[in-house]
Amino acid sequence: MKNKRNDLVFTARSIESVTQSWGIFGRLDSMVFLVAAITCFGFVIWGAIDAKSLGATMNSILGVISKDFGWLYLLSVFGFVVFLFWLAFGRYGSTVLGKDGDKPEYSNFSWFAMLFGAGMGIGLVFWSIAEPLYHYTAGPAYAGAPLSSSAAEWAMAISFFHWGISAWAVYVVIGIPMAFLIWRKGLPALISSMFYPIMGDKIYGPIGKTIDIITLVITFFGLSTTVGMGTMQLASGISFNYGVALDNYLYMPILAICCICYLCSACLPIEKGIKVGSDISMICTLGLMLFIFIAGPTTFILDNTVNATGLYLQNFIRMSLWTDPVAHTGWPGSWTIFYWAWWITWAPFVGMFIAKISKGRTIREFIIAALIVPSIFDAVFFSIFGSTALNFEMTQATKGLIMNAVNTDVSSAIYVMMAQFPLVQLIIPILLFVAFTFFVVSIDSGTIVLGMLSSGGDESPRTSLKILWGIALAGAAAIEIFLGGIKPVQTLCIIMVLPFVFIMIALCYSTIKMLRQDCVIDANVVQQSPALEENTAKLTSST
């Protein structure tokens, strides 16, 4: 049957028909793999040869994007939030992400732990102390004067905003159609597949290839900077706690150990690798949160949480759409726009991963669980750790203690704060373990997605292919660290996100169309059922 753009039937080509054999790596989409690999390592080599040139070029382009397209990032992410709530509580909310009768494969606790570990993980540990302090000392104009009581109150609300519903909406916008197509329609696990309702078989042509190449490139760079950030976070903790010099002689062994661990995890099935690691890290995280809540300024934490929640809910639209059009302080570009672009670099890999683990969930269940529950957990985590840091900063006896650590080395701030509590020799190793497991879970799930993207959408890419991507990520991160930090490549990620914003906007339309088509198909089946039963009865009586 010839497929047309308005067909209601989803007809997937076999992976064998769109890929080529690469020996031990299995079958790969040669064009997507080669173009993406050349692009990724071309920029890495550029940075290795002339880091200053790369940094200057990327910063110049980023300035233009933030100035001229910042409104697009803000409006798009706000639109994603509105779209998902409409989807969850509208007529399509009860649609199952799978065949009729499919049940969830993982318990709610394990599912949420994997969502959280892949979606935030190490970043939450990295910024939970630093971000509220930054907003307290140099926040947006609407938060009041720096170091004022108003700035202190707004600091936590802004942190909720950057790590809350809007961030998770970016992931879920991709997760919903991906889960629908791979589990209900049997299409390959690729971003281009999600455009089948509006492009038909053209997803296998140049446009579809371009979409997958862009996706693979930004996913690789987003993950490589995460590897670098995680390595520095762990190195800071080891240096602070055990007095080891913070240099490449510490970074490289840590990077090698982490690489070995996430590659070993990648060799295991999800239920034995990522699931176990996520469950353990979640339990340890809850224990740390409870410890700080009890041993820290409990009353201030509770007061600040309730107050920040009110500010967040009352001013959500204002914060979502504030472009600073008059004063032009540059704050939205440095914070909100930067964050939205950063979450979008993670969107393909997190969205595809949570789609992979969400078989049998309804759209409403998926959105509520992946949008609301993690946002609440992020807010509680920030409230406990961030409010404690703010309390130290606003108390005269400890003023400057944590902020100085933030200004010296952001990744060391959480360890400096934890050292002010009893049982530090027990707590910091647990914190290191949490950071380590979050790190391993994130990159393990990332290698799976990189494998899927480069193998034509194979949901179970060869272990050798995942190992190849894992080693490539570690190699890129090592070069970034040797060059003095992850900032230039991180900036590159943000720039490459711009075309992907348009892909995500088009994806929302494609999602609506595929769900409408599915409803039409279901309605036709229901209408045909009585006639089928009548014909069957006649045939039975005649025999």
Side-chain angles (χ1 to χ4, degrees):
M1 176 180 178
K2 184 178 179 180
N3 290 316
K4 297 181 180 180
R5 294 177 64 180
N6 61 347
D7 280 344
L8 298 183
V9 180
F10 290 75
T11 306
R13 293 185 184 178
S14 66
I15 291 178
E16 289 73 16
S17 68
V18 295
T19 56
Q20 298 77 40
S21 175
W22 278 63
I24 62 171
F25 300 117
R27 301 191 66 84
L28 303 182
D29 186 323
S30 298
M31 179 181 291
V32 172
F33 178 72
L34 289 174
V35 173
I38 291 170
T39 303
C40 290
F41 285 97
F43 278 104
V44 170
I45 292 170
W46 179 7
I49 295 173
D50 192 352
K52 289 185 178 180
S53 171
L54 175 62
T57 303
M58 294 303 105
N59 285 330
S60 176
I61 298 173
L62 180 62
V64 173
I65 289 176
S66 298
K67 179 182 177 182
D68 296 338
F69 294 97
W71 62 271
L72 177 64
Y73 287 84
L74 297 176
L75 189 61
S76 298
V77 173
F78 179 71
F80 297 154
V81 174
V82 174
F83 170 71
L84 290 172
F85 275 106
W86 171 80
L87 204 60
F89 298 103
R91 60 182 294 197
Y92 306 118
S94 59
T95 302
V96 177
L97 300 173
K99 302 294 185 183
D100 293 336
D102 281 350
K103 301 297 182 183
E105 297 177 314
Y106 305 100
S107 68
N108 288 336
F109 180 83
S110 294
W111 184 48
F112 170 69
M114 288 189 284
L115 287 177
F116 180 76
M120 295 293 173
I122 190 70
L124 202 64
V125 177
F126 201 87
W127 286 105
S128 60
I129 305 298
E131 182 168 346
L133 293 181
Y134 276 131
H135 299 326
Y136 173 52
T137 57
Y142 60 75
L147 302 176
S148 64
S149 58
S150 175
E153 293 182 6
W154 273 95
M156 194 56 60
I158 297 169
S159 299
F160 285 3
F161 172 58
H162 286 155
W163 293 77
I165 289 173
S166 301
W168 286 93
V170 171
Y171 301 156
V172 178
V173 159
I174 289 181
I176 290 289
M178 178 60 71
F180 182 85
L181 285 175
I182 64 175
W183 294 125
R184 192 168 179 87
K185 300 300 180 182
L187 264 69
L190 297 169
I191 299 298
S192 59
S193 295
M194 295 185 283
F195 290 92
Y196 192 92
I198 57 179
M199 290 175 56
D201 279 353
K202 289 183 180 179
I203 63 171
Y204 299 108
I207 297 176
K209 301 292 186 187
T210 301
I211 291 172
D212 291 332
I213 289 168
I214 293 172
T215 303
L216 186 50
V217 169
I218 66 171
T219 300
F220 178 83
F221 280 120
L223 286 168
S224 70
T225 53
T226 300
V227 173
M229 185 172 66
T231 300
M232 290 188 287
Q233 176 81 66
L234 291 168
S236 292
I238 292 173
S239 176
F240 179 83
N241 200 41
Y242 303 107
V244 182
L246 193 61
D247 54 25
N248 288 335
Y249 292 105
L250 178 59
Y251 289 138
M252 292 304 109
I254 291 175
L255 178 58
I257 292 171
C258 290
C259 178
I260 292 170
C261 289
Y262 69 65
L263 290 179
C264 289
S265 180
C267 294
L268 298 172
I270 288 179
E271 60 272 12
K272 294 183 179 179
I274 294 177
K275 176 183 176 297
V276 173
S278 298
D279 288 351
I280 294 173
S281 62
M282 181 58 67
I283 293 170
C284 292
T285 300
L286 292 172
L288 284 175
M289 292 167 65
L290 182 61
F291 173 79
I292 296 298
F293 178 73
I294 295 173
T298 306
T299 301
F300 178 72
I301 291 172
L302 292 170
D303 287 342
N304 200 33
T305 301
V306 173
N307 184 72
T309 301
L311 285 173
Y312 173 51
L313 295 176
Q314 292 168 12
N315 295 276
F316 178 78
I317 296 177
R318 180 186 184 187
M319 290 190 288
S320 296
L321 302 176
W322 187 66
T323 60
D324 192 20
V326 178
H328 295 295
T329 62
W331 192 92
S334 299
W335 284 99
T336 305
I337 294 170
F338 179 87
Y339 261 124
W340 286 183
W342 183 240
W343 297 140
I344 292 172
T345 67
W346 272 43
F349 117 72
V350 177
M352 291 175 70
F353 177 73
I354 61 178
K356 185 175 175 60
I357 63 173
S358 298
K359 180 180 180 181
R361 308 277 176 177
T362 65
I363 287 179
R364 183 175 298 113
E365 181 183 11
F366 186 107
I367 292 175
I368 292 174
L371 199 66
I372 306 299
V373 177
S375 298
I376 293 173
F377 188 88
D378 289 348
V380 173
F381 192 98
F382 259 93
S383 291
I384 293 174
F385 286 86
S387 295
T388 302
L390 277 171
N391 188 68
F392 275 113
E393 188 63 23
M394 293 186 295
T395 301
Q396 193 61 38
T398 55
K399 185 177 180 63
L401 177 67
I402 311 299
M403 195 65 214
N404 289 339
V406 170
N407 291 331
T408 303
D409 178 10
V410 172
S411 58
S412 70
I414 192 168
Y415 302 108
V416 173
M417 190 188 80
M418 298 298 280
Q420 312 309 311
F421 290 91
L423 304 176
V424 63
Q425 296 304 319
L426 173 63
I427 294 302
I428 287 186
I430 294 176
L431 180 60
L432 284 169
F433 176 77
V434 168
F436 172 77
T437 51
F438 278 152
F439 178 21
V440 170
V441 166
S442 294
I443 307 306
D444 181 3
S445 54
T447 59
I448 294 174
V449 171
L450 288 172
M452 291 163 64
L453 288 170
S454 53
S455 61
D458 187 350
E459 296 165 31
S460 301
R462 286 276 188 93
T463 299
S464 54
L465 180 60
K466 292 186 288 183
I467 291 174
L468 174 67
W469 279 117
I471 293 173
L473 289 172
I479 293 174
E480 294 166 20
I481 292 171
F482 270 117
L483 293 176
I486 61 175
K487 186 65 176 178
V489 178
Q490 193 175 38
T491 303
L492 175 63
C493 293
I494 306 308
I495 293 169
M496 289 184 171
V497 154
L498 182 59
F500 200 75
V501 172
F502 294 100
I503 291 174
M504 293 182 69
I505 293 171
L507 181 58
C508 292
Y509 170 70
S510 184
T511 301
I512 295 173
K513 188 165 184 177
M514 72 175 72
L515 290 172
R516 284 177 176 170
Q517 291 176 349
D518 190 64
C519 287
V520 171
I521 292 172
D522 287 346
N524 289 339
V525 170
V526 170
Q527 291 174 0
Q528 293 170 8
S529 294
L532 179 62
E533 290 176 3
E534 182 179 351
N535 290 335
T536 302
K538 289 180 179 178
L539 180 63
T540 302
S541 61
S542 65
T543 56

